[in-house]
Every structure is written in structure tokens, then in C-alpha cells.
Amino acid sequence: MRLHRLKLTNFRLHAETDIAFSNGITAIVGSNGAGKTTLLEALAWAFYGTPAARGSRDSIRRSSAPARAPVRVEVELSLGAHDYRVVRHLYGAELYQDGSAGTIANSQQAVSSKMTYLLGLNREEFFNTYFTGQKELAVMAAMGPSDRGKFLSRLLGYEKLRLAQDELRSKRSTLRGEVSGLEQGLEVEATLERERVEVETKLARSKAALDDVRKNLKAAELRSNDVGPKWERVQKLREATVKLQGDRSIAEQQVREATREFQRLDRDLAQAIQAVAKMKELEPRINRVDDVQREFDRLDRAAQDAGQRRLVTGQLDELREQLKRVIARREELGGSELVERARRVVEEGHHKLKELQGNEDDLRTVWVRDKQDADTKRQTLRTQFVDVQQHRQLLIEGGPEGKCPTCARELGQEFEAVLATLSSQLEEIESSGRFFGQRVKQLTKPPAGLDAAEKARASGAKRVKDAVQRLAEVEARVSEISGVVAERDRLLEREKELHGALAKLTDTYDAEQHEALRRELRSLQDASKLSTELKLRGERAERLVEEAEIAEQNLSEREEKFRLLTEEVERSGFREEEYRNLKVEFERAETERRTIQLKESALQGDHKVAQTAQEGVARRIKERDQQMRKLKDLRRQLTLHEELDDAFEDLRRELNARMRPDLSELASGFLSDVTDGRYDELELDEQYRIRIVEDGDSKTVISGGEEDVANLVLRLAISQMVAERAGQPLSLLVLDEIFGGLDEGRRQNVVSILRGLADRFPQVVLITHIESIKEGVDRVLRVTVDDEARLARVSEEDRFGPTKDAA
């Protein structure tokens, strides 16, 4: 793989960064936190998506960028004979090949999967192959023997065998559980056979008993069928007799009713004759009803007029009171000139309030700004004090022989000077902190001028509120004038209408005469009502004579019908004793038949239970056969998994045994290239400790420089082996902050080593904050950060001219 270009938009600290890569050693130099490693994080994010970036998706966008600002990383690279361009956004990704306008992958997951396939490496393998940091160079030296082996196995992918073996053992444990469960749940074959014989015996017995009871049921049914027709005949005869007796009872009842009706008509005829005589006595009084009614109606109308006069008079009195109140309200409201005067007062109050508000805001702004500035400076000094104090404590603990916590170099004679400088800084910070602490305390309460301005503004606001309320009251009173005038005119018009209505009403009414006529009229109406009833009775007299003749004839007919029905009942021949004897015989036969039917049903149930039990035993025998076949298959799978587990274990041992010689051979080749043939052999012992072989002898003690070289070539060998297993040539090498623990001479030595490996690694990228490294590299990219804007910038340094843009 070879990088050509990297473009970042709103990624972490980078707003717009465009870097063109070339062959040779490129140093990316800058202070800690400037955004150097972010460039390589963006490269991995473009290839593998969110899992390759620190934090969440939301933390990738530049913090000072607008909320919806686009986030984009674009990488141009070569893989084998093809050129590719990878573009990834927060919510999408595209992959292009050989400059084509069409994509070969156009989604987040599709691009990640395609890049994994093209590189032949997953995300972890990519970082363990192309990238190396300071912690990876010496990591094996700090591990125990077993941890070193596990670390190498994990880097080279051998650990996947252990994961596969764990999965296999988990499956084997599941199979063992299934086999054990089936064995425990398997029924005993002898028990099933015994149950089968028992249920077949029960089934045969129930069938024999059922056959016997069915024979008895057939005999009972024959006896029931013999007595049945006789019982049906006597039942029909009894029903006919009962019906005749019912008809006779009805006829007898009709005779009694006809007798009562004849007697009633006789009484009504006598009463009708008496009513005719009484009606003739009432005729003189009834003739006066019309005259009394006309006089009563006249007095009734006079009474209504008298009531209406009282109502209109009361309305006039109430109307006059309302008119007085309306006239008084109109005089109270006054004229419209009050509105203009109230509006001028409101405008003047608003203008004055605006001036007071501006004065208060100015004083408050100055006070808040001073308070926040003092508090911010005090917090900053606190943070600086803690940092300097911790730095000084680390310096004291290390002593003159210790290393500087910042640059990691030994202080020696500079220890006292550096310690004095830090102590002086602490005193200066502490003095400034006391000053700003007192300043914050002074600014806790608002100044006197601000309090006075607040009171003046509140007083002005109250005056404006009172003036607005007075204006509203005046406007409401003026708007009420037209309504009051309209109400006054309406009341005057209503007064005229009431006077006109009063003039039309009569004022003559005699209440005593009215009451006397009411009593007389009620008495005459009662007499008229009685006369009407008597007249109706008299008119019925002739009709009642005819009805009495019809009633007498009806009585004779019903008496004859009753006589005939009585004779028919006697001729029917029904005998109650014969009916009771046949009933007892029929019920006995039916009871016997039902009893046998119930016994048959019970035996049928027993027979069905026996059949169900037989089917259940057969089903259990079948299930046992199926379980036996499944158990046989599970035992075969369990044996296979146990054999695979042994095979995986043997393969892991073989791979781990071959790993040390293979790594030693690769590392030895790198060592020979780095040392120009002085050392040409490096080996790993059984505890994975590095041994440099010189003249056939293994050196147990090596110098610090030789250790750095050994760690570096071993790391290169590991990367080479991972790349070869993935089927990719290792052409790019990225080293991140590997110079922190090296002195100046060793740093330059490592750079020289890397330059000597140019044929194996055409592209080398060094990320460091060490300035002296740039003297031995082919190209220097400077990363700086604007702390106020939180913005990183990348520029290329020309050692023979001014700095220029990285692109």
C-alpha cells in the first residue's frame, strides 16, 4: 500500500487540511495535543469507519464547527496495480477505483468490508502491521514469559485458534449436557413392555364387558317396545277425556256468566226509567246557564284589564328610576379632552423609563464583566498552581539523577536551577491568586450606583404603569358616552309606549259580583252535567230491553251445550285405574333400559381409556426409539468435537513452536540490514527474550542502543509476518512517538536505521514532538494549533526556504 493524499474537513481539530504524501521519510512534527496523531486516526476512520476512531460519532466533528457542518475524510492510495479513492462522511461513504466516476462501494458497511478485503487486513491487523508506537517497541520487555507468548500469538492471529477452540469446547459442553439429559430422561424398555401388556389385557376385558351389557340392553328395549303402544293409546284417551272435561267446565262457566249478565241488564233498565223522571226536574235551572256565562266572561275580562294596569304602572315607576340614573351617569362621564391629556403623561413616562433602563444596564454590564474576569483569572491561577506544584513534587522525588517530567532527559546539574524556577513560579501564582480572591469577594455585592439605578428604574416603571392605567380608565369612560346616550333615548321612547298602553285599559271592576257569579256558574254546570248523564241513561232504556232478550236466549244455548258435553264424557270409556297400572309398567321398563344404557356408557368410557392408554404406551415406545437415534447421533458429534479439540491443541502447539524460529529468521534479516552485517542473527529463547548472536555466541547482556535496535527489528519482523500472512507487501511504516526514551544520539541512529531500510519501506512516517528529528528526514510537516479558535493547521517546512502549505 502507498499513500498519495489525505484530506480532512471538520475532523477533530482540523477544519480544512490537505496533505500530499511522497516516498522517503516524512516527519510530522508538533507539540502534544496539536493534532498529529489525528491525521493517522482519520486515515484508519476512512478505511474502517467509527470503530477505528476514538470516542463516539458526535465527538468526531470539530468542536468549534457549526452544528450541521459537514465532516469528511478523503484518502488517495495505491494497492497493487490499482489506484483507489476513499471518501467517508458521518453518515455515508464511497470507494472509487482508477479514477472512475462510478463507485465500487457506496455505504458505510460496504466501504469498510471492501477495504478489509483489498488490504487483506482487519482493523486490528492493520494497526498491528503498519503502525508502531513507543509502547509497542518495548512492550515485550515488560511482560512475563507466558504473556510474551500470548502477545505474539495475538498479533500473528494464532489466538484465533484458541477462540475457535473455546467455541468448540462450549459446543462440546452443550453436547455433553444434551447427552446427559437424554440419558436421564430415557424410559426403561422393560417397564414400557410391561405397561404395554397390562393395557392390552385391560382393553380385552373392557370389550368383553361391553358386549355383555349390549345384549342386556337389546332385551330391555324389546320389553319397552311391547308396553309402549298400550301406554300411548291410554294416554291419548286420557288426553281426549281431559279436553272434554275442560270444555264442559268452560260451558258451565259461560252459563254462570250469562245468568249474571241477564240480571245486570234488568237492574240497568230500572235505573234508566228513574233517570228520565229526574231529568225533567232539572230543566228550569239548566236554561239559565248561557246568561250567567256571558256575564261572568265580561267580569273576567275586566279583571284582566285591572291586572294589566297594575303591571304597566309598576313598569313606569321602574323606568323613571332607570332614566334618572342614566342622566346622572352622562353628566358624570364628562368630555373627550381627558384622553389626550392622559396619553401625553404616558409618553413622557415611557421616555424617562427608557433613559433609566439604559443607565442601569450600563452599570450592570461593567459589574458583571469585572466579576467574571476576576473569577476566571482566579480559576486559571488555581489550575496553574496545581500543575506547577505536581511538576515540582515529581522533580523532588526524582532528584538530580531523575528525568525531567516534560522532556524525559536527565537534569544533573540543572536540577537546583529548575527547582528554584518552579518555586518562584509557585510564589508568584500564589500572590496573584490572593489578589484576585480579594477582588472576587469585593465584587460579590452590586455597587452602590447600580442599586440606586435599580430603584430609580423601578420607580419610573411604577409611574408608567399608573399612567397607563389612568389612560385606560379615561378611554373606557369616553367610549361609554355613546352607549349612555342611546340608553337614555331608548328609555324615553319606552315611557311613551307605556303611557299609550295604560290609556287603552278599562278601570271598572266589581270583584264581589265576579266571585258570586263564579259560584252560581259552577252549580249550574254541575246540574247540566248530571242532566246529560240522566239523558244518556234514558236513551239506553229501549236498547236495554233488546239486550235483555238476547241475554236470555244466550243463557238457554249455553245450558244446552253444557248438557251435551256431560253426556259425551260419560260415553268416552276412560278408566283412571287402567291408566295408573299401564303408567307403572311403562316407567319400570324405561328405567331398566336407561340403567343399562348408563352402564353401557360407563363401559364405553373405560374401553376408550384403555385404548388411549394403549396409544400412549405405543407413542412412548416410538419416542424412546427416536431418542435412542438422537442419542446415538449426539454421541457421534461429541466424539467428533473431542477429536477436533485435540487437533486444535496440537495445531496451536505446533504454530507456537514454529513462531519463534520464523520471527527470529525475519528479525535477523532486518538486523543484518540495520547493522551493515555486524550482527546477522537474532533469536528468541523459550521465554521469548531477545538474544543477539555474535560470532556464534548469544549475548545475554546488550547495551541500551543494541536493545533499541533489537526491539525495533523485532517489531518490524512482527509487522512483516502479519503482512505476509495477509498476502500484502509491507511498503508503508508509521512510527508514532518512538523517540521519547532515547537520547539524541540514539534518535539519530534510529533515523539512520530507517533510512537503511528504504528498499523495504519506501514510505516511512514519523510522528514526534522532538524537533531535532527533522534534520535527518526527507520531508517535515509542521502541525500547529490555534488555542483560541481550537483549530489545527498543517504546513510543510522547507529547510532551504520559507514554510509552505502541505499540499
Side-chain angles (χ1 to χ4, degrees):
M1 180 180 75
R2 183 165 298 183
L3 289 178
H4 299 304
R5 201 173 200 88
L6 175 64
K7 296 180 181 180
L8 282 70
T9 302
N10 291 320
F11 189 90
R12 303 291 190 199
L13 292 175
H14 295 266
E16 288 290 342
T17 297
D18 188 354
I19 302 175
F21 289 93
S22 58
N23 288 349
I25 301 177
T26 299
I28 300 177
V29 182
S31 60
N32 292 331
K36 305 184 301 298
T37 305
T38 299
L39 299 174
L40 302 180
E41 180 186 13
L43 179 67
W45 184 70
F47 291 167
Y48 296 103
T50 303
R54 297 165 293 168
S56 64
R57 177 185 295 174
D58 296 334
S59 65
I60 292 177
R61 180 183 282 112
R62 184 168 56 90
S63 59
S64 57
R68 298 184 180 277
V71 177
R72 174 187 173 98
V73 173
E74 181 177 347
V75 180
E76 296 178 9
L77 69 154
S78 296
L79 281 171
H82 297 284
D83 294 331
Y84 296 93
R85 182 165 64 93
V86 185
V87 181
R88 190 176 293 272
H89 326 270
L90 280 181
Y91 302 100
E94 299 89 35
L95 177 61
Y96 303 87
Q97 179 177 325
D98 296 330
S100 174
T103 62
I104 61 174
N106 57 5
S107 69
Q108 295 268 18
Q109 184 61 40
V111 170
S112 299
S113 299
K114 189 67 174 178
M115 288 305 301
T116 301
Y117 171 76
L118 293 174
L119 292 169
L121 303 169
N122 60 30
R123 176 171 54 90
E124 291 77 10
E125 292 171 340
F126 180 75
F127 277 101
N128 290 328
T129 304
Y130 291 99
F131 291 81
T132 299
Q134 173 64 34
K135 60 182 180 179
E136 284 85 5
L137 283 181
V139 68
M140 287 181 59
M143 292 181 178
S146 62
D147 292 335
R148 294 190 192 107
K150 292 179 181 179
F151 175 72
L152 290 174
S153 295
R154 187 170 63 254
L155 285 183
L156 297 175
Y158 297 161
E159 196 66 15
K160 294 179 181 177
L161 290 175
R162 185 188 63 78
L163 298 177
Q165 193 173 14
D166 291 343
E167 182 69 22
L168 183 69
R169 289 175 177 175
S170 175
K171 178 63 176 177
R172 184 181 63 184
S173 177
T174 303
L175 288 172
R176 284 175 176 171
E178 292 181 5
V179 169
S180 176
L182 281 176
E183 289 175 345
Q184 293 177 3
L186 200 63
E187 295 194 67
V188 179
E189 186 176 8
T191 302
L192 286 175
E193 180 62 22
R194 185 175 64 255
E195 290 183 13
R196 184 185 65 79
V197 173
E198 290 176 356
V199 297
E200 287 179 353
T201 303
K202 289 181 180 179
L203 186 63
R205 290 174 180 173
S206 65
K207 186 176 185 305
L210 188 60
D211 292 340
D212 291 340
V213 79
R214 283 175 178 170
K215 292 178 181 178
N216 296 332
L217 178 61
K218 188 174 182 180
E221 287 176 347
L222 289 174
R223 288 191 293 273
S224 178
N225 293 336
D226 180 58
V227 74
K230 299 176 182 179
W231 169 244
E232 289 180 1
R233 182 187 60 79
V234 75
Q235 272 189 316
K236 291 178 181 179
L237 182 59
R238 185 176 186 274
E239 290 174 358
T241 303
V242 170
K243 183 177 184 301
L244 286 173
Q245 290 175 344
D247 292 342
R248 186 177 64 177
S249 297
I250 293 173
E252 185 179 9
Q253 178 66 24
Q254 288 176 346
V255 169
R256 288 194 293 271
E257 290 178 354
T259 302
R260 287 195 296 270
E261 179 65 15
F262 179 77
Q263 293 172 353
R264 182 187 64 79
L265 288 173
D266 189 50
R267 288 193 302 271
D268 290 346
L269 182 58
Q271 291 176 357
I273 294 172
Q274 293 176 359
V276 171
K278 183 69 173 177
M279 184 178 62
K280 292 180 179 179
E281 296 176 2
L282 294 175
E283 283 183 0
R285 294 186 62 193
I286 293 172
N287 293 334
R288 293 188 69 249
V289 171
D290 293 339
D291 296 337
V292 174
Q293 181 68 51
R294 283 192 293 272
E295 183 62 21
F296 180 78
D297 291 342
R298 185 187 66 77
L299 289 174
D300 211 23
R301 289 192 296 272
Q304 293 177 0
D305 287 350
Q308 187 66 22
R309 285 183 66 83
R310 289 193 298 273
L311 177 62
V312 173
T313 302
Q315 291 178 347
L316 277 172
D317 293 340
E318 183 180 355
L319 186 66
R320 292 189 186 100
E321 292 297 325
Q322 292 181 0
L323 193 58
K324 288 179 182 180
R325 290 195 295 270
V326 169
I327 293 172
R329 181 59 180 167
R330 173 64 188 91
E331 295 175 354
E332 180 185 348
L333 291 175
S336 60
E337 67 278 359
L338 297 175
V339 177
E340 188 62 32
R341 188 184 311 150
R343 284 177 179 168
R344 286 196 299 271
V345 173
V346 172
E347 291 175 357
E348 292 173 358
H350 276 300
H351 181 70
K352 183 63 177 176
L353 178 61
K354 186 176 182 181
E355 293 180 357
L356 294 173
Q357 184 68 53
N359 184 36
E360 180 189 355
D361 291 343
D362 294 341
L363 292 173
R364 186 179 300 279
T365 299
V366 172
W367 171 58
V368 171
R369 185 182 63 242
D370 292 346
K371 183 171 66 172
Q372 290 179 345
D373 183 61
D375 189 63
T376 300
K377 290 181 178 178
R378 183 177 64 171
Q379 293 297 333
T380 302
L381 289 170
R382 284 178 175 175
T383 302
Q384 291 178 356
F385 183 83
V386 172
D387 292 341
V388 175
Q389 192 176 40
Q390 291 177 349
H391 197 170
R392 181 175 177 274
Q393 183 64 30
L394 292 173
L395 198 66
I396 292 174
E397 291 175 357
E401 293 78 12
K403 296 182 179 181
C404 176
T406 302
C407 62
R409 64 184 181 84
E410 296 181 358
L411 294 173
Q413 297 179 355
E414 298 179 2
F415 173 76
E416 294 297 336
V418 174
L419 185 62
T421 300
L422 293 177
S423 299
S424 175
Q425 289 178 0
L426 286 175
E427 292 176 359
E428 182 179 352
I429 293 171
E430 188 174 8
S431 175
S432 299
R434 286 195 297 271
F435 169 75
F436 283 107
Q438 294 175 356
R439 181 61 176 162
V440 168
K441 188 179 296 183
Q442 292 172 357
L443 293 172
T444 301
K445 296 182 179 180
L450 177 59
D451 185 57
E454 287 180 349
K455 292 180 179 179
R457 190 261 308 157
S459 177
K462 186 178 182 306
R463 288 194 297 273
V464 170
K465 180 180 179 182
D466 293 342
V468 170
Q469 184 176 359
R470 174 62 181 165
L471 174 60
E473 293 174 355
V474 171
E475 289 177 342
R477 290 177 60 183
V478 171
S479 64
E480 190 182 351
I481 292 175
S482 59
V484 171
V485 171
E487 180 67 11
R488 181 194 62 187
D489 295 342
R490 186 188 66 79
L491 292 174
L492 290 173
E493 184 65 27
R494 178 61 177 162
E495 185 180 21
K496 291 179 182 180
E497 293 175 357
L498 291 176
H499 278 298
L502 193 62
K504 296 177 182 179
L505 299 173
T506 60
D507 58 353
T508 58
Y509 170 65
D510 188 344
E512 293 182 358
Q513 184 183 6
H514 192 191
E515 183 60 28
L517 284 174
R518 179 182 284 106
R519 289 194 297 271
E520 184 179 0
L521 181 62
R522 189 181 298 118
S523 176
L524 290 174
Q525 288 174 342
D526 291 342
S528 177
K529 182 178 179 181
L530 178 59
S531 175
T532 301
E533 293 178 355
L534 293 174
K535 183 179 179 180
L536 292 173
R537 291 180 183 180
E539 291 175 351
R540 288 184 59 196
E542 297 180 359
R543 188 169 66 253
L544 287 173
V545 173
E546 296 176 357
E547 290 179 358
E549 294 176 352
I550 295 172
E552 184 178 5
Q553 183 181 358
N554 190 19
L555 176 61
S556 300
E557 293 175 353
R558 291 181 179 181
E559 288 176 344
E560 179 64 17
K561 182 178 179 181
F562 175 73
R563 185 184 63 80
L564 295 174
L565 288 173
T566 300
E567 294 177 353
E568 188 175 356
V569 169
E570 292 176 353
R571 290 194 303 270
S572 64
F574 173 74
R575 299 293 179 267
E576 185 68 29
E577 182 179 0
E578 180 186 5
Y579 172 79
R580 287 196 296 270
N581 292 336
L582 283 174
K583 182 180 179 182
V584 171
E585 185 179 358
F586 178 77
E587 288 178 350
R588 184 185 300 116
E590 282 296 301
T591 300
E592 182 183 5
R593 183 177 62 82
R594 285 196 294 269
T595 301
I596 296 175
Q597 283 178 339
L598 291 174
K599 187 175 181 180
E600 180 193 27
S601 298
L603 289 173
Q604 285 178 342
D606 294 342
H607 186 67
K608 189 170 182 62
V609 169
Q611 286 179 331
T612 303
Q614 184 187 38
E615 293 171 357
V617 172
R619 185 182 64 255
R620 288 161 58 197
I621 292 174
K622 182 178 180 181
E623 290 175 352
R624 186 184 186 280
D625 293 340
Q626 293 176 346
Q627 290 175 342
M628 285 298 298
R629 289 193 294 271
K630 184 177 180 181
L631 182 61
K632 182 178 179 181
D633 182 63
L634 289 175
R635 286 170 175 167
R636 182 184 59 78
Q637 293 184 41
L638 180 60
T639 302
L640 177 62
H641 279 70
E642 289 173 345
E643 292 175 354
L644 284 173
D645 184 32
D646 295 338
F648 272 128
E649 188 68 26
D650 294 340
L651 180 59
R652 286 182 59 203
R653 291 195 187 98
E654 181 181 354
L655 291 174
N656 286 327
R658 290 173 52 188
M659 179 171 58
R660 288 189 297 107
D662 291 345
L663 277 176
S664 299
E665 183 179 354
L666 282 173
S668 297
F670 283 119
L671 181 65
S672 177
D673 292 341
V674 168
T675 61
D676 294 329
R678 177 182 176 185
Y679 300 116
D680 58 4
E681 187 175 355
L682 182 148
E683 65 178 17
L684 295 174
D685 61 12
E686 294 181 354
Q687 296 183 345
Y688 293 94
R689 290 177 298 192
I690 298 175
R691 295 286 187 265
I692 294 179
V693 179
E694 184 179 14
D695 297 332
D697 296 329
S698 176
K699 298 179 64 175
T700 58
V701 179
I702 57 178
S703 66
E706 292 171 339
E707 183 179 5
D708 292 338
V709 172
N711 286 331
L712 178 59
V713 298
L714 178 59
R715 187 63 180 85
L716 294 177
I718 293 172
S719 298
Q720 182 72 22
M721 183 177 288
V722 174
E724 288 177 353
R725 289 181 64 253
Q728 293 285 352
L730 193 61
S731 58
L732 171 67
L733 183 63
V734 180
L735 302 176
D736 186 9
E737 296 289 3
I738 65 169
F739 303 107
L742 303 179
D743 57 22
E744 186 62 32
R746 291 176 180 173
R747 293 170 186 164
Q748 296 302 325
N749 188 32
V750 171
V751 174
S752 299
I753 291 171
L754 294 174
R755 187 171 296 281
L757 298 176
D759 56 334
R760 296 197 183 189
F761 302 106
Q763 276 188 319
V764 177
V765 178
L766 299 176
I767 299 175
T768 182
H769 66 281
I770 307 297
E771 293 289 337
S772 59
I773 295 301
K774 63 184 183 180
E775 299 299 329
V777 301
D778 299 314
R779 187 182 182 200
V780 177
L781 298 179
R782 171 73 60 181
V783 182
T784 58
V785 62
D786 186 342
D787 291 331
E788 292 185 3
R790 297 299 298 162
L791 183 65
R793 293 185 176 86
V794 179
S795 57
E796 183 172 0
E797 286 191 2
D798 188 351
R799 284 170 290 178
F800 306 101
T803 299
K804 60 182 179 180
D805 185 76

